[in-house]
Amino acid sequence: MEDQVYNMPRIGDYAPDFEAMTTAGKLKFSEFIKGGWTILFSHPADFTPVCTTEFTAFAKASADFAAINCELLGLSIDSIHSHMAWRENLKGLFNVSIDYPMIADIDMRVSKLYG
């Protein structure tokens, strides 16, 4: 099997646009990012320790990000159903709500756009 090379956008490049299903419904990235800043972050898998720490930390700081006109958007190759179950698990364990959208990128289409 031949290795594929995916080009990661560089500083100053336009962010690749995409449409994807999220925990908040269908999202078009170029419409989501209008009028402010966006932090698009990814994690390898739901229900893992490091990812749990990152997602809860972003959720706890979401009001601070909103105050500076910055949206949060998470991404992993897990399904919508996995994301929804994980959000409920985090709410029960850590009393934190993950209110920002989480992209389900099962086919890795969005991930590949970003290298």
Side-chain angles (χ1 to χ4, degrees):
M1 183 174 189
E2 193 174 311
D3 289 334
Q4 292 182 329
V5 176
Y6 302 102
N7 295 319
M8 181 179 290
R10 299 168 129 201
I11 293 174
D13 289 349
Y14 285 100
D17 198 12
F18 59 86
E19 286 187 21
M21 287 305 298
T22 75
T23 53
K26 193 171 186 179
L27 177 142
K28 183 170 173 107
F29 190 56
S30 58
E31 294 172 2
F32 183 80
I33 62 173
K34 286 189 177 181
W37 296 94
T38 299
I39 297 176
L40 170 61
F41 59 99
S42 65
H43 67 287
D46 297 343
F47 297 97
T48 59
V50 173
C51 300
T52 295
T53 303
E54 293 169 350
F55 267 68
T56 56
F58 272 123
K60 289 176 182 176
S62 64
D64 296 327
F65 285 109
I68 60 169
N69 199 26
C70 182
E71 298 285 340
L72 299 171
L73 180 59
L75 174 141
S76 88
I77 61 170
D78 290 311
S79 70
I80 290 291
H81 301 292
S82 178
H83 287 340
M84 293 170 72
W86 187 37
R87 286 192 324 185
E88 289 305 309
N89 182 264
L90 295 176
K91 188 174 186 176
L93 289 173
F94 301 106
N95 195 30
V96 62
S97 293
I98 309 295
D99 294 329
Y100 50 83
M102 297 166 64
I103 299 169
D105 192 28
I106 295 171
D107 60 3
M108 298 179 62
R109 189 178 48 81
V110 177
S111 299
K112 289 175 183 175
L113 286 174
Y114 285 84

